[in-house]
């Protein structure tokens, strides 16, 4: 799991260090895939596979949008696309340190060594979705529909012109 | 032992797919064709275009091969003849096939060529069209088997194959599978005669050989997936299970290769429009129908 | 103990990187990538909590599913806005978007 974690963090850094936009989007993809690998290592098989599947599509679409909207998608002219560097570096470091402090210092209580088998997990997660958390799940579905309509409405060219 | 046996079977199947593809596209049956053209490719120089994105250029063919093999790894050839019987097998097939698109996007962007890039981005558009039509029919299949285990999916078809149980899902899945493997009429990313090979345009020598191999494995994998999900996998009388899997898979592959030959290549916009306007409603209808039948039977 | 800490440390580092990216980039799409990284960090933490503290409570996995949904939604709406902005002004640079201030 540590290896996947390192890979995730490394690719996360690459996202903001490379100047080629497609590389940046695919680095984010591999960071997310490494997170999916961490899920698999933590024996959350369904979530890991789902993460691998969703992120492949999401990040590839991100890549095409970056090529569409960036001024310099190939990163050949070496433009600087950042601002307020020092402040954001400080904020990032501060955020990471805060979270690290909590992670290390807090008392997390006893660790469970055993975990249900993967088949049982899939089954139980399905029952959770369709029973106790059904309303939440349905809300998520309706929210997706709303977002789809809203995004299309924003993006579509107005006919009046 | 099993591991080696499965790999050997996949390799043999890939070889036959390559022979079949050669047969339908040239009209001549040459059993030694893939070996000869493979050797010819290996013997040639593998050029690297000017100013490539080197990482993508090198990784893309390998990623295509790996994702196709990973998708095949969760599909059973016979009881026990499976590389990894994952609890989420049916979902894993989708996950692995999604990386085919990533590989083609890389192959399109990497070599810094106009045709290749158009091909890569076309395949991304194609993914937006077909991906739902892969997931939704598989959902209906998993509804019947009440499990995501691919072996359970096969045994659930012991009384009736899914192709009879949900023919609509089978047709949609087969079309989507052809789109995944970019077979004609969905061969938009390579588009011979229009894009000069598209994503394959800048690849030569052994890199092209790896890419062609990955494509052949991909065709075999989607045919195997159709067999497992709809044609009852290894089930069948008299013959041993693996022979049933093999013959069904090759039959599906041959059908996919043969049909595409007589249909003109579709336009990108048409593929997207038809998939979303007709395909997805039909897939939802299929899910609804299967749900009603399951509740009716129970 | 150790594995939980490893997961949480990875989560913290990813969160820091994502925060830095979201604040320092000038392009809307790059800012969204920073946000995605932060959400990814949140997911790592959630799965770690589920696995090592309460593996029998599936609401933890459910929460991860919801975060994945949020990621997809954020992309949808973000790209919708980016498309609209690009149509109107021809760029998605955030420093040029001062005119959106009321």
């Amino acid at each position: 799991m540590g290896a996947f974690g390192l890979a995730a963090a490394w690719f996360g850094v690459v996202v903001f260090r490379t100047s080629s936009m497609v590389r940046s989007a695919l680095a984010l993809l591999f960071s997310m895939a490494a997170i999916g690998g961490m899920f698999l290592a933590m024996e959350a098989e369904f979530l890991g596979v789902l993460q691998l599947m969703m992120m492949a599509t999401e990040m590839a679409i991100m890549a095409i949008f970056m090529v569409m909207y960036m001024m310099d998608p190939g990163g050949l002219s070496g433009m600087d696309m950042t601002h307020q560097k020092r402040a954001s570096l400080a904020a990032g470091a501060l955020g990471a340190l805060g979270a690290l402090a909590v992670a290390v210092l807090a008392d997390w209580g006893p660790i469970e060594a055993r975990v249900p088998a993967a088949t049982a997990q899939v089954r139980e997660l399905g029952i959770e979705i369709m029973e106790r958390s059904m309303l939440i799940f349905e809300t998520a579905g309706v929210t997706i529909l709303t977002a789809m309509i809203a995004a299309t409405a924003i993006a579509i060219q107005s006919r009046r012109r | 032992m099993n591991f080696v046996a499965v790999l050997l079977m996949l390799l043999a199947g890939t070889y036959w797919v390559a022979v079949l593809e050669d047969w339908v596209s040239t009209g001549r049956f040459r059993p030694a064709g893939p070996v000869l053209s493979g050797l010819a490719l290996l013997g040639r120089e593998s050029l690297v275009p000017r100013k490539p994105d080197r990482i993508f250029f090198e990784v893309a063919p390998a990623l295509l091969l790996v994702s196709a093999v990973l998708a095949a790894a969760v599909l059973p050839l016979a009881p026990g003849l499976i590389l990894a019987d994952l609890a989420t097998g049916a979902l894993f097939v989708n996950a692995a096939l999604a990386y085919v698109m990533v590989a083609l996007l890389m192959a399109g962007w990497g070599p810094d060529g106009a045709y290749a890039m158009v091909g890569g981005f076309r395949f991304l558009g194609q993914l937006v069209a077909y991906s739902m039509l892969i997931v939704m029919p598989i959902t209906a299949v998993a509804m019947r088997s009440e499990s995501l285990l691919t072996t359970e999916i096969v045994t659930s078809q012991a009384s009736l194959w899914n192709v009879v149980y949900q023919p609509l899902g089978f047709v949609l899945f087969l079309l989507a599978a052809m789109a995944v493997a970019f077979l004609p009429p969905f061969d938009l990313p390579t588009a011979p005669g229009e894009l000069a090979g598209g994503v394959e345009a800048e690849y030569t020598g052994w890199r092209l050989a790896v890419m062609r191999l990955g494509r052949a494995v991909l065709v075999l994998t989607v045919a195997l997936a159709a067999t497992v999900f709809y044609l009852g996998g290894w089930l069948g009388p008299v013959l041993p299970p693996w022979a049933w899997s093999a013959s069904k898979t090759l039959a599906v592959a041959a059908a996919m290769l043969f049909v595409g030959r007589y249909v003109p290549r579709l336009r990108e916009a048409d593929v997207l429009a038809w998939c979303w306007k007709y395909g997805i409603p039909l897939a939802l209808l299929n899910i609804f129908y299967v749900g009603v039948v399951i509740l009716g039977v129970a | 103990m150790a594995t939980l800490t490893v997961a949480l440390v990875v989560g913290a580092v990813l969160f820091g990187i994502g925060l830095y990216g979201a604040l320092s980039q000038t392009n809307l799409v790059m800012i969204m990538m920073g946000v995605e990284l932060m959400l990814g960090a949140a997911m790592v933490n959630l799965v770690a909590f589920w696995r090592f503290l309460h593996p029998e409570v599936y609401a933890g996995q459910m929460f991860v599913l919801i975060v994945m949904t949020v990621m997809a939604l954020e992309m949808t709406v973000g790209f919708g806005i980016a498309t609209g902005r690009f149509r109107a002004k021809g760029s998605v640079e955030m420093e040029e978007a001062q005119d959106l201030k009321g």
Side-chain angles (χ1 to χ4, degrees):
Chain A
M1 194 177 71
F4 281 125
L6 269 183
W10 164 248
F11 280 119
V13 173
V14 170
V15 170
F16 299 111
R17 292 208 25 111
T18 174
S19 53
S20 162
M21 289 308 113
V22 176
R23 273 198 190 183
S24 164
L26 288 184
L28 186 60
L29 164 63
F30 292 126
S31 177
M32 289 296 168
I35 290 178
M38 284 180 78
F39 291 0
L40 290 179
M42 286 192 273
E43 295 168 73
E45 195 182 300
F46 183 82
L47 293 179
V49 174
L50 191 66
Q51 167 88 357
L52 286 175
M53 177 174 110
M54 285 198 38
M55 292 310 144
T57 324
E58 263 191 57
M59 297 313 149
I61 291 175
M62 199 152 221
I64 198 168
F65 270 93
M66 313 237 331
V67 174
M68 273 162 71
Y69 293 148
M70 295 289 277
M71 289 182 270
D72 180 20
L76 296 178
S77 62
M79 276 170 69
D80 187 23
M81 303 294 286
T82 55
H83 62 170
Q84 51 192 17
K85 246 191 177 150
R86 196 162 298 161
S88 39
L89 203 58
L94 212 65
L97 281 182
L100 272 178
V102 175
V104 176
L105 297 180
D107 175 24
W108 294 108
I111 299 289
E112 292 275 348
R114 287 148 55 81
V115 71
T119 355
Q121 271 186 41
V122 174
R123 197 187 138 71
E124 293 291 325
L125 181 62
I127 288 175
E128 169 81 25
I129 286 174
M130 279 301 146
E131 243 170 31
R132 211 169 68 93
S133 308
M134 187 169 183
L135 205 57
I136 305 171
F137 196 66
E138 296 293 323
T139 317
V142 175
T143 318
I144 291 178
L145 185 64
T146 320
M148 275 167 74
I149 295 172
T152 317
I154 298 171
I156 213 162
Q157 204 149 22
S158 68
R159 292 266 164 85
R160 259 168 287 160
R161 258 181 273 162
Chain B
M1 183 56 223
N2 267 346
F3 192 78
V4 179
V6 174
L7 279 184
L8 281 179
M9 280 190 74
L10 287 180
L11 203 62
T14 309
Y15 189 82
W16 275 106
V17 166
V19 171
L20 278 172
E21 185 162 20
D22 187 41
W23 193 6
V24 295
S25 57
T26 61
R28 278 177 299 160
F29 179 66
R30 293 179 302 178
V35 170
L36 294 178
S37 53
L39 283 178
L41 278 178
L42 289 182
R44 267 177 225 149
E45 188 185 5
S46 187
L47 296 170
V48 177
R50 263 195 304 168
K51 279 202 159 189
D53 198 325
R54 197 64 191 259
I55 303 172
F56 289 174
F57 187 71
E58 303 288 358
V59 168
L63 186 62
L64 183 65
L65 183 60
V66 166
S67 53
V69 171
L70 279 181
V74 295
L75 297 167
L77 295 168
L81 273 185
I82 179 169
L83 291 182
D85 197 5
L86 286 185
T88 51
L91 188 68
F92 188 86
V93 174
N94 293 312
L97 288 181
Y99 283 84
V100 169
M101 179 272 299
V102 177
L104 286 196
L105 194 66
M106 283 170 145
W109 182 263
D112 188 25
Y115 287 142
M117 197 177 78
V118 171
F121 284 153
R122 269 187 183 184
F123 194 65
L124 183 61
Q126 196 168 320
L127 170 114
V128 175
Y130 73 68
S131 60
M132 277 295 137
L133 295 184
I134 296 261
V135 178
M136 285 175 158
I138 292 184
T139 311
V141 169
M143 276 164 70
R144 188 184 178 202
S145 69
E146 299 182 6
S147 168
L148 289 176
L149 284 165
T150 41
T151 42
E152 288 269 323
I153 286 177
V154 173
T155 44
S156 79
Q157 302 172 50
S159 58
L160 187 64
W161 289 0
N162 271 336
V163 65
V164 187
Y165 192 84
Q166 32 186 315
L168 186 56
F170 177 67
V171 174
L172 291 174
F173 182 83
L174 211 58
L175 289 176
M178 286 168 76
V180 178
F182 47 104
L183 290 169
F186 300 102
D187 57 345
L188 291 164
T190 48
E194 174 194 349
L195 273 188
V199 289
E200 287 179 357
E202 309 284 340
Y203 282 91
T204 41
W206 64 269
R207 293 191 183 90
L208 183 60
V210 173
M211 204 150 187
R212 291 256 167 89
L213 177 66
R215 205 291 183 74
V217 176
L218 185 61
V219 174
L220 181 78
T221 303
V222 293
L224 183 59
T227 310
V228 166
F229 291 142
Y230 288 96
L231 295 175
W234 67 74
L235 300 172
V238 188
L239 289 177
W242 63 265
W244 275 110
S245 286
S247 48
K248 285 175 191 169
T249 305
L250 287 180
V252 172
M256 290 199 302
L257 289 166
F258 187 74
V259 167
R261 185 140 171 72
Y262 295 98
V263 185
R265 183 177 303 134
L266 296 171
R267 258 179 57 212
E268 178 85 25
D270 287 342
V271 176
L272 265 170
W274 291 341
C275 282
W276 280 81
K277 283 182 191 161
Y278 308 115
I280 290 179
L282 285 176
L284 285 172
L285 189 72
N286 180 47
I287 290 179
F288 180 73
Y289 165 76
V290 172
V292 169
V293 172
I294 287 173
L295 289 181
V297 170
Chain C
M1 190 64 212
T3 26
L4 174 63
T5 317
V6 169
L8 293 184
V9 166
V10 170
V13 171
L14 279 178
F15 181 79
I17 298 169
L19 189 59
Y20 161 74
L23 290 178
S24 72
Q25 299 294 318
T26 56
N27 192 290
L28 178 59
V29 188
M30 291 298 282
I31 293 173
M32 279 163 60
M33 296 176 84
V35 177
E36 298 261 318
L37 266 182
M38 287 197 275
L39 286 172
M43 288 199 296
V44 171
N45 278 16
L46 284 171
V47 173
F49 290 143
W50 168 81
R51 166 65 183 85
F52 296 112
L53 300 181
H54 301 286
E56 72 292 342
V57 181
Y58 285 89
Q61 289 210 5
M62 183 69 207
F63 203 164
V64 181
L65 284 184
I66 297 293
V67 176
M68 277 188 197
T69 317
V70 169
M71 281 174 95
L73 292 183
E74 174 240 320
M75 289 229 341
T76 325
V77 178
F79 285 141
I81 293 173
T83 309
R85 177 84 196 157
F86 194 80
R87 278 232 170 86
K89 302 280 172 184
S91 109
V92 289
E93 291 298 310
M94 283 299 103
E95 286 186 348
E96 295 166 16
Q98 301 281 347
D99 54 329
L100 289 180
K101 271 185 190 162

